[in-house]
């Protein structure tokens, strides 16, 4: 079942990496390095859906490109194709059948990339950069949902230049997630809106933020029956909130936990607090992974409310992460997230995408 | 343009006056834009300013703030919450408190004065400014400060402020002198008119004439007491309050004050009116402007406890503490008959006394916290955010990392866009 055996020779850095000294902290976890990573910060990662055989990874970056790799069973990554936008790419997603990839960019457009023909076509237009893009597959309709900094959420039938629907948001969209029939959007000024997608998308509820700081990332989780039941929300100050939509006991069921902080036990020096850059749920176990500005990733079991693992510290922030469709592979990207402004940006610094065997480490603590 | 003219007529009461006057064309444009709901252009311009605030790396960051605030005032003539004007003023003002080079920059001082005028107590702000050395070389500070004193009827202090300004050598000197002279002229006129009003009131007691007091010769003779009573009636009697109602609205006449309250120098007692010297040491942080009820930020309800509800559904307020002494009660006095009423008289919930608002506590604490973060006091704060807080929260609204980066990218490539015949942002 697991893709990479523990004795794989690719653990020490994969193919095509030069200058691999033992003191190099760019890959302290000794995970597989994806070949030909983008030339600038990676903003988003997405694995192909189960409807497609094999594992294909899509990554969008601030170099305006979207790249596609095939991840083979032996751990080798093969660059397959690349497409460009005229501005940095902020989000990517797959269609449910795995034939199309949707990309959203700062150039205020979203494109649909047909992988078979390797052609792209513009499918959406906003008045500001498009921050999130998700594919919605409902029984009676299919569409692409785009969230933008122009404070609108638009839904696109890919065949028409006009949106099927446009919903106004109170503020700019900062992050979103979709698991049919639920969608969650977190906006600037700590806004949080849940949408229901049955029949047609409509606003379901506005929730008062469980966090005190700027929202950064959100991910929906499902219950035992695979129905979306809540979401995890990450903020800019090392905290994640677990929030259920209709819990039996909200005060007890909803909670927040601290993460991506340093000097945990040492109370003498101030604790450094880092932003949570992305959250992903394991598709099988329901446990979650968070990646942060501190250059670490952590795995958590939200039901047992425990931490499963924290990685070693990478020398760069981790900006994106995702699981593949069967939960065996965890991909995470190491690049600069702009958390300290442009002064700390080093264009010469290499960016990486790592792949890790996720089958064992994300098993829940108390298996029921 | 015709409908814009009408627009001005319809809402001119709501237009906030600007000290330097409003440009008519800008006003028309702003009102038209608001009428048409042209929010995208406005938002784009606002966004442009916000980005400029964060990406500016020249020598004069104050300039961006000044332009942004000026644009905001012209674009949102009614003021109001969506203009974020008070937020911007507060941020601009606190941003540069540590920057000595701006302390006597006339633009910065004017921002402070505008901020002070929006505060509940501008005096606090002016005193703080003096303590910190902000604007002490600018005539504008002293002019605004004395105006504030004058509004409160304290001509003496108003005069004192001007003298302070002259002493400090505030610039421009001529302006300071001119305003000082104007103040003195006003004070004299006031005294004169209040005295003449006095005179008229004494002479024409039953005269119901509400016309303006005509200038008359001020009588300086004392009123002679009739009869055996030797008490000297002061020249300006309480009737001066009529003059008060006639025209001098909030300017209290000087006369009664000067005569009825003789200031007896007592070396043991502190001065009773406004303190002559500003107290320097308490002002570690400037007081803040906004009225608390407009705040959207979540805050801890510090000392307010929910009163327990009694069975009748009325909330029972905690009764005031009993006095420590035993009030004297005559022996055969009946306890006062309590008029039968449905509401328990001990329950004070119907008209509860107005809780003393503590404007200096929470907003000041908020500002102090912000100042603390800005100065990065290590020992005190147990947590340290590892991201560029100032960049994110610089202007009126927040940015996220991606927005910062996207702005920089956009600027970097803007010159390329301009050279090519491509469509840029609709302005």
């Amino acid at each position: 079942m697991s893709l990479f055996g523990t004795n794989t020779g690719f653990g020490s850095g994969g193919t095509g990496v030069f200058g691999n000294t033992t003191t190099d902290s760019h890959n302290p976890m000794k995970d597989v390095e994806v070949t030909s990573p983008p030339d600038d910060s990676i903003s988003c990662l997405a694995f192909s859906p189960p409807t497609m055989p094999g594992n294909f990874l899509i990554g969008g970056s601030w170099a305006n490109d979207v790249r596609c790799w095939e991840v083979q069973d032996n751990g080798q990554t093969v660059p397959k194709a690349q497409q460009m936008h005229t501005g940095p790419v902020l989000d990517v997603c797959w269609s449910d059948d795995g034939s199309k990839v949707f990309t959203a960019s700062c150039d205020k457009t979203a494109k649909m990339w047909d992988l078979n023909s390797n052609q792209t076509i513009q499918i959406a237009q906003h008045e500001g950069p498009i921050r999130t893009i998700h594919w919605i597959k409902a029984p009676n309709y299919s569409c692409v949902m785009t969230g933008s900094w122009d404070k609108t959420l638009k839904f696109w039938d890919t065949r028409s230049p006009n949106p099927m629907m446009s919903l106004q948001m109170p503020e700019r969209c900062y992050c979103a997630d979709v698991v049919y029939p639920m969608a969650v959007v977190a906006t600037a000024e700590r806004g949080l809106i849940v949408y229901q997608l049955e029949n047609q998308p409509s606003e379901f509820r506005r929730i008062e933020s469980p966090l005190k700081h700027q929202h950064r990332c959100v991910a929906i989780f499902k219950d035992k029956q695979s129905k979306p039941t809540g979401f995890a929300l990450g903020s800019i100050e090392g905290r994640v909130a677990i929030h259920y939509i209709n819990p039996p006991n909200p005060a007890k069921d909803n909670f927040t936990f601290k993460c991506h902080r340093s000097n945990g036990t040492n109370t003498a020096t101030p604790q450094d607090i880092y932003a949570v850059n992305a959250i992903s749920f394991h598709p099988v176990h329901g446990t979650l992974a968070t990646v942060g500005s501190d250059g670490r990733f952590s795995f958590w079991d939200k039901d047992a409310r425990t931490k499963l693992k924290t990685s070693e510290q990478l020398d760069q922030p981790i900006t994106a992460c995702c699981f593949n469709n069967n939960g065996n592979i965890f991909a995470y990207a190491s690049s600069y997230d702009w958390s300290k402004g442009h002064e700390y940006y080093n264009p010469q610094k290499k960016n990486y995408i790592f792949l890790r065997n996720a089958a064992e480490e994300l098993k829940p603590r108390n298996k029921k | 343009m015709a409908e814009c003219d009408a627009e001005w007529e319809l809402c001119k009461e709501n237009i906030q006056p600007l000290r330097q006057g409003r440009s008519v064309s800008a006003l028309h444009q702003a009102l038209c834009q608001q009428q048409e709901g042209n929010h995208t252009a406005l938002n784009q311009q606002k966004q442009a300013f916000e980005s400029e605030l964060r990406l500016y790396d020249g020598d004069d960051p104050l300039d961006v703030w000044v332009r942004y605030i000026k644009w905001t005032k012209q674009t949102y003539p009614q003021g109001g919450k969506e203009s974020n004007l008070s937020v911007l003023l507060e941020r601009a003002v606190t941003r540069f408190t540590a920057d000595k080079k701006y302390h006597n920059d006339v633009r910065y001082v004017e921002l402070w004065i505008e901020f002070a005028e929006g505060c509940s107590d501008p005096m606090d702000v002016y005193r703080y400014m003096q303590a910190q050395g902000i604007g002490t070389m600018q005539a504008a500070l002293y002019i605004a400060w004395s105006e504030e004193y004058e509004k409160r009827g304290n001509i003496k202090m108003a005069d004192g402020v001007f003298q302070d300004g002259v002493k400090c050598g505030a610039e421009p000197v001529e302006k300071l002198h001119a305003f000082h002279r104007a103040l003195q002229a006003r004070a004299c006129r006031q005294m004169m008119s209040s005295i003449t009003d006095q005179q008229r009131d004494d002479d024409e007691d039953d005269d119901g004439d509400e016309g303006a007091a005509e200038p008359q010769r001020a009588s300086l003779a004392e009123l002679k007491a009739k009869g055996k009573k030797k008490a000297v009636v002061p020249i300006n009697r309480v009737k001066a309050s009529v003059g008060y109602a006639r025209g001098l609205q909030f300017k209290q006449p000087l006369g009664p004050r000067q005569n009825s309250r003789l200031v007896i120098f007592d070396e043991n007692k502190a001065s009773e009116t406004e303190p002559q010297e500003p107290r320097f040491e308490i002002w570690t942080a400037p007081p803040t402007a906004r009225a608390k009820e407009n705040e959207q930020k979540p805050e801890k309800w510090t000392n307010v406890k929910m009163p327990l509800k009694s069975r009748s559904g009325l909330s029972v307020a905690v009764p005031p503490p009993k006095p420590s002494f035993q009030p004297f009660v005559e022996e055969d006095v009946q306890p006062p008959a309590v008029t039968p009423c449905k509401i328990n008289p001990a329950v004070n919930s119907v008209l509860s006394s107005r809780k003393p608002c503590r404007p200096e506590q929470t907003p000041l604490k908020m500002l102090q916290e912000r100042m603390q973060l800005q100065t990065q006091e290590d020992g005190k704060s147990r947590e340290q955010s590892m991201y560029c807080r100032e960049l994110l929260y610089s202007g009126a609204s927040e940015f996220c990392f991606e927005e910062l980066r996207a702005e920089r990218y956009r600027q970097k490539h803007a010159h390329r866009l301009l050279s090519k015949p491509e469509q840029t942002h609709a302005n």
Side-chain angles (χ1 to χ4, degrees):
Chain A
M1 268 301 228
S2 65
L3 277 142
F4 311 127
T6 46
N7 299 330
T8 179
F10 301 100
S12 58
T15 52
V17 174
F18 46 82
N20 192 14
T21 58
T22 46
T23 54
D24 193 359
S25 59
H26 83 278
N27 187 8
M29 302 305 287
K30 314 245 190 300
D31 289 325
V32 174
E33 252 181 61
V34 167
T35 55
S36 306
D39 297 322
D40 209 335
S41 300
I42 296 126
S43 56
C44 47
L45 291 171
F47 265 108
S48 51
T51 43
M52 215 167 133
N55 286 295
F56 290 83
L57 176 65
I58 296 280
S61 85
W62 282 80
N64 303 3
D65 62 355
V66 192
R67 299 187 181 201
C68 177
W69 298 264
E70 181 184 357
V71 181
Q72 292 164 346
D73 287 353
N74 58 2
Q76 280 246 348
T77 54
V78 181
K80 281 292 199 192
Q82 177 177 328
Q83 287 291 339
M84 301 293 292
H85 265 270
T86 49
V89 176
L90 295 182
D91 200 11
V92 290
C93 73
W94 289 80
S95 64
D96 61 304
D97 61 358
S99 62
K100 317 266 192 297
V101 169
F102 300 98
T103 60
S105 162
C106 281
D107 63 9
K108 309 179 192 174
T109 68
K111 293 191 180 177
M112 177 169 78
W113 179 10
D114 183 331
L115 293 167
N116 296 323
S117 64
N118 201 13
Q119 299 288 322
T120 62
I121 174 176
Q122 180 178 334
I123 52 146
Q125 179 75 47
H126 270 267
E127 283 165 29
I130 305 179
R131 180 68 183 90
T132 64
I133 191 161
H134 291 87
W135 173 251
I136 299 176
K137 177 95 175 95
N140 58 332
Y141 72 93
S142 301
C143 68
V144 174
M145 179 180 96
T146 51
S148 160
W149 288 339
D150 68 359
K151 306 185 187 180
T152 62
L153 196 64
K154 293 192 197 241
F155 300 83
W156 309 83
D157 166 352
T158 58
R159 295 159 296 203
S160 159
N162 293 318
M164 287 162 44
M165 180 182 282
S166 175
L167 295 175
Q168 188 69 30
M169 295 190 292
E171 258 289 355
R172 298 152 278 166
C173 171
Y174 276 0
C175 51
D177 196 14
V178 169
V179 172
Y180 185 83
M182 177 168 127
V184 176
V185 176
T187 70
E189 310 291 340
R190 298 166 56 240
L192 197 49
I193 315 168
V194 179
Y195 297 86
Q196 71 82 29
L197 304 170
E198 259 177 291
N199 208 18
Q200 69 168 18
S202 63
E203 201 178 295
F204 173 70
R205 194 188 292 170
R206 292 206 180 178
I207 300 179
E208 198 173 312
S209 172
L211 298 173
K212 292 191 204 128
H213 293 95
Q214 186 182 103
H215 296 162
R216 185 127 180 85
C217 50
V218 71
I220 295 177
F221 56 81
K222 300 186 272 202
D223 59 14
K224 301 272 188 288
Q225 288 78 38
S226 281
K227 293 252 178 305
T229 183
F231 56 86
L233 178 69
S235 84
I236 212 176
E237 291 223 2
R239 199 175 273 270
V240 169
I242 301 287
H243 190 97
Y244 289 82
I245 299 294
N246 280 322
N249 192 344
K252 282 200 168 163
D253 297 334
N254 297 337
F255 66 97
T256 70
F257 61 91
K258 297 190 212 173
C259 52
H260 299 290
R261 299 177 177 214
S262 66
N263 306 332
T265 49
N266 184 0
T267 49
T269 54
Q271 196 180 45
D272 297 332
I273 304 181
Y274 295 86
V276 183
N277 284 331
I279 304 177
S280 275
F281 278 90
H282 192 275
V284 172
H285 298 309
T287 47
L288 68 143
T290 62
V291 295
S293 252
D294 54 351
R296 294 181 197 262
F297 61 82
S298 294
F299 301 143
W300 312 82
D301 180 347
K302 71 174 199 318
D303 300 316
R305 301 200 185 186
T306 62
K307 177 164 28 178
L308 299 171
K309 181 189 180 72
T310 296
S311 73
E312 297 299 318
Q313 188 169 28
L314 277 67
D315 59 355
Q316 281 188 107
I318 304 181
T319 49
C321 69
C322 71
F323 286 99
N324 77 330
N325 59 71
N326 60 14
N328 288 337
I329 314 177
F330 175 63
Y332 59 100
S334 164
S335 51
Y336 182 49
D337 58 0
W338 218 255
S339 51
K340 293 196 163 182
H342 86 281
E343 286 167 358
Y344 286 79
Y345 173 51
N346 179 2
Q348 313 305 325
K349 191 136 175 63
K350 273 199 80 175
N351 306 280
Y352 301 95
I353 303 177
F354 296 112
L355 304 177
R356 185 177 180 80
N357 182 351
E360 292 304 313
E361 287 174 328
L362 277 117
K363 285 209 171 119
R365 198 35 69 78
N366 307 313
K367 257 211 134 159
K368 291 191 177 126
Chain B
M1 209 50 175
E3 57 269 15
C4 293
D5 290 339
E7 189 61 37
W8 152 247
E9 287 296 318
L10 286 173
C11 64
K12 60 183 171 187
E13 299 92 10
N14 290 338
I15 313 282
Q16 300 245 347
L18 285 186
R19 204 175 269 265
Q20 70 269 26
R22 285 190 178 274
S23 135
V24 176
S25 55
L27 186 59
H28 272 155
Q29 191 183 28
L31 291 174
C32 279
Q33 276 184 334
Q34 289 188 5
Q35 175 79 325
E36 290 159 25
N38 193 353
H39 294 295
T40 14
L42 280 181
N43 276 335
Q44 280 183 348
Q45 240 173 323
K46 205 191 277 196
Q47 191 73 0
F49 273 117
E50 292 278 333
S51 317
E52 202 184 338
L53 272 178
R54 288 166 172 87
L55 296 175
Y56 182 88
D57 55 3
D59 289 326
D60 189 16
L62 181 66
D63 178 59
V64 190
W65 285 96
V66 167
R67 277 186 287 119
Y68 188 8
I69 289 173
K70 190 164 160 193
W71 174 84
T72 305
K73 285 196 291 199
Q74 295 283 356
T75 317
Y76 295 94
Q78 294 96 332
K81 205 156 169 218
E82 63 167 16
S83 69
N84 280 324
L85 185 59
S86 50
V87 173
L88 281 177
L89 277 172
E90 193 179 332
R91 295 242 170 102
V93 141
T94 44
R95 170 96 171 70
F96 298 106
T97 359
D99 226 336
K100 291 274 179 217
K101 76 171 181 188
Y102 283 130
H103 275 190
N104 281 302
D105 188 322
V106 62
R107 305 168 294 169
Y108 186 51
V109 176
E110 275 172 9
L111 282 183
W112 265 103
I113 292 171
E114 222 177 302
F115 169 67
E117 284 170 0
C119 276
S120 48
D121 191 4
M123 296 303 216
D124 284 350
V125 182
Y126 294 135
R127 270 180 238 138
Y128 174 77
M129 284 173 76
Q130 192 182 45
Q132 297 291 315
I134 298 171
T136 46
M137 296 297 290
Q138 285 290 336
L141 166 62
Y142 300 101
I143 292 170
W145 200 349
S146 86
E147 209 172 273
E148 192 57 39
Y149 271 122
E150 203 179 332
K151 264 192 224 165
R152 297 173 186 211
N154 194 344
I155 306 290
K156 201 158 124 220
M157 282 305 291
D159 191 72
V161 166
F162 273 122
Q163 285 171 7
D164 270 348
V166 172
K167 235 192 302 175
C168 289
E171 291 286 319
V173 186
E174 309 79 34
K175 192 169 172 190
L176 199 59
H177 281 316
F179 274 86
H180 195 185
R181 280 196 293 274
L183 167 72
Q184 288 172 330
R186 279 197 294 275
C188 285
R189 249 183 283 132
Q190 219 176 283
M191 250 199 318
M192 301 279 283
S193 65
S194 73
I195 289 172
T196 58
D197 276 353
Q198 268 304 293
Q199 225 33 45
R200 250 175 9 109
D201 289 339
D202 293 339
D203 295 342
E204 312 163 339
D205 241 330
D206 301 317
D207 194 357
D209 181 14
E210 287 292 319
E214 284 166 34
Q216 292 181 359
R217 273 188 315 158
S219 164
L220 297 173
E222 275 189 33
L223 295 172
K224 291 197 176 56
K226 277 190 180 172
K228 294 217 172 104
K229 290 190 185 161
K230 292 293 178 191
V232 177
V233 180
I235 295 178
N236 301 308
R237 287 190 267 160
V238 186
K239 279 230 176 93
S241 59
V242 179
Y244 191 92
R246 272 191 197 194
L248 310 166
Q249 277 118 357
F250 39 73
K251 293 187 204 228
Q252 292 168 18
L254 277 181
R257 238 196 194 212
Q258 281 181 348
N259 277 348
S260 56
R261 288 223 280 166
L262 297 174
V263 179
I264 300 169
F265 176 70
D266 184 356
E267 63 204 5
N268 298 324
K269 210 168 39 166
S271 57
E272 76 290 81
T273 45
E274 315 263 1
Q276 305 291 343
E277 294 265 324
R279 288 174 295 211
F280 285 24
E281 52 277 9
I282 46 171
W283 300 112
T284 50
T288 190
R290 281 164 287 169
K292 267 330 280 181
E293 60 264 21
N294 289 338
E295 273 300 307
Q296 290 281 353
K297 290 186 198 145
E299 275 185 355
K300 191 173 163 231
W301 251 6
T302 44
N303 298 326
V304 178
K305 279 207 167 78
M306 287 296 284
L308 297 166
K309 283 203 154 62
S310 69
R311 245 180 282 145
S312 60
L314 293 169
S315 42
V316 178
V318 177
K322 298 239 178 328
S324 52
F325 58 87
Q326 186 70 9
F328 176 68
V329 177
E330 285 187 9
E331 275 150 358
D332 45 332
V333 129
Q334 309 284 341
V338 178
T339 52
C341 61
K342 288 192 183 140
I343 305 171
N344 186 351
V347 174
N348 239 350
S349 63
V350 176
L351 291 175
S352 58
S353 65
R354 187 189 172 121
K355 292 194 174 30
C357 61
R358 298 191 245 187
E360 73 275 3
Q361 197 208 23
T362 9
L364 185 61
K365 211 160 68 166
M366 230 170 63
L367 245 140
Q368 276 176 333
E369 274 173 35
R370 209 181 289 155
M371 304 287 280
Q372 203 176 31
L373 283 165
Q374 282 184 356
T375 55
Q376 288 278 331
E377 292 184 315
D378 275 320
K380 294 200 181 161
S381 59
R382 278 172 296 146
E383 294 180 344
Q384 210 170 323
S385 319
M386 300 302 288
Y387 59 88
C388 50
R389 197 179 259 265
E390 293 129 33
L391 283 178
L392 290 191
Y393 296 105
S394 190
S397 58
E398 65 178 357
F399 267 31
C400 65
F401 304 150
E402 288 75 26
E403 281 177 292
L404 274 179
R405 190 170 187 173
E407 267 311 307
R408 190 155 280 273
Y409 175 89
R410 199 182 58 78
Q411 275 200 358
K412 205 168 85 174
H413 294 256
H415 68 274
R416 267 195 233 156
L417 286 173
L418 282 172
S419 56
K420 288 189 199 161
E422 278 179 25
Q423 190 187 15
T424 53
H425 296 305
N427 234 9

